[in-house]
Amino acid sequence: MTKLSVDNIQLEVLDEGQGDPVLLVHGFPLDHTMWRFQVDALSTRHRVIAPDLRGFGHSDVTSGTVTMARFADDLAAVLDSLQIQSAVTYCGLSMGGYVGWEFFRRHRHRLSRMIMCDTRAVGDTQQVSRGRLLMAARVCEQGPGFIPDAMFPKLFAEETLAYQPGIVAATRSTILATSAEGIAAAQRGMAGRSDATPMLASVDVPVLLIAGAHDVISPPAEMQDIADALPVATFVSVDRSSHLSPLENPDAVNEVMLRFLEAGRE
Ligand code: MLT
């Protein structure tokens, strides 16, 4: 892991392997460790960069609101700092996917392909957005202790909760160690994010979409609709998983990712 100075803050970044770069961007309220199985599988052939976003993991926290655009600009600055000039494969999960649409909007020239896992293109309804602001207020008052039990039934498939206690416990620890201010700032940023749907037809890079078969936050049917709206897209549903498919069924996810990355080299 290295610490990089970006816009007057320090971001913790994993940088492993050699080859065409793949940027792994975690979901909410997690950190780069949610990609541990992909780091192992992809870094044998690729340079894998997996940052902790501002406010998460061991990166510095900024209070207030952190927009998806701010996260996207941080990622471009991370690539600058690592002197990565070649185009990257951007791979984001859920909030990492929301940041991905902004990354495309703002830094298109840095992209060769995208992998969007368990994510959405639409913005929030008023009700969802209000819920995020309530959660932001609650986490600032009480800390993150209530979040795992509130989110786990949606983050994990029943099978994962029953048979993969190690994954569930590690995710709990990650969330409990996350700064309340960082969580609140990202929630406020997600609440105000824009709808990426009108942009989908202009996404002129190949996109792989991966959905956990039991995902209720970003359901497979909705991700199939995103794929249908993109010019060049492949949609894959992964069984035995819900919203955290790369953690829940890493073998299946790694296989489709490696196949997609390999096809891009031909
Ligand atoms: C995530 O996994 O990043 C979150 O579920 C995103 C969200 O709250 O919409």
Side-chain angles (χ1 to χ4, degrees), residues 8-260:
N8 297 322
I9 61 163
Q10 300 260 304
L11 296 181
E12 179 98 341
V13 179
L14 173 144
D15 179 9
E16 256 180 58
Q18 285 180 348
D20 293 341
V22 180
L23 178 62
L24 300 177
V25 185
H26 63 79
F28 169 92
L30 308 175
D31 66 13
H32 78 279
T33 59
M34 62 143 285
W35 297 114
R36 54 190 166 280
F37 301 116
Q38 287 66 48
V39 171
D40 289 348
L42 305 186
S43 64
T44 56
R45 289 160 176 235
H46 294 271
R47 181 170 179 185
V48 177
I49 300 114
D52 287 344
L53 292 171
R54 167 190 300 252
F56 295 92
H58 293 283
S59 289
D60 286 352
V61 178
T62 50
S63 56
T65 300
V66 179
T67 62
M68 302 303 102
R70 174 71 270 164
F71 284 134
D73 290 351
D74 284 348
L75 293 170
V78 163
L79 297 179
D80 283 342
S81 178
L82 293 172
Q83 299 186 327
I84 295 177
Q85 264 118 37
S86 57
V88 302
T89 298
Y90 182 104
C91 172
L93 179 131
S94 198
M95 182 179 78
Y98 309 157
V99 177
W101 303 128
E102 276 304 322
F103 194 87
F104 177 85
R105 222 190 292 270
R106 302 165 78 82
H107 305 287
R108 159 69 188 92
H109 65 286
R110 307 200 79 133
L111 278 174
S112 58
R113 287 168 295 223
M114 300 178 84
I115 303 176
M116 299 299 245
C117 304
D118 302 292
T119 196
R120 313 187 72 191
V122 289
D124 285 346
T125 60
Q126 273 194 356
Q127 192 190 358
V128 172
S129 166
R130 260 198 306 270
R132 292 191 190 282
L133 300 182
L134 288 174
M135 199 234 231
R138 184 171 172 198
V139 77
C140 289
E141 265 176 48
Q142 301 176 7
F146 69 94
I147 294 178
D149 288 341
M151 287 189 78
F152 280 6
K154 288 187 173 177
L155 290 187
F156 293 116
E158 280 177 23
E159 214 176 317
T160 310
L161 290 167
Y163 301 118
Q164 299 204 66
I167 296 292
V168 176
T171 306
R172 182 180 294 276
S173 302
T174 300
I175 295 174
L176 296 183
T178 303
S179 144
E181 260 192 320
I183 291 174
Q187 270 295 32
R188 295 186 195 106
M190 284 193 282
R193 76 186 191 284
S194 55
D195 182 1
T197 315
M199 192 189 74
L200 295 178
S202 68
V203 176
D204 57 351
V205 293
V207 184
L208 168 65
L209 295 111
I210 299 176
H214 305 289
D215 192 344
V216 288
I217 298 176
S218 38
E222 187 178 316
M223 291 199 70
Q224 175 73 69
D225 287 346
I226 299 175
D228 292 345
L230 289 163
V232 186
T234 310
F235 168 77
V236 178
S237 165
V238 172
D239 64 4
R240 293 190 289 112
S241 57
S242 174
H243 192 58
L244 297 184
S245 56
L247 265 178
E248 299 181 84
N249 191 348
D251 291 347
V253 167
N254 291 346
E255 192 188 321
V256 285
M257 282 188 180
L258 283 167
R259 206 181 317 135
F260 177 73

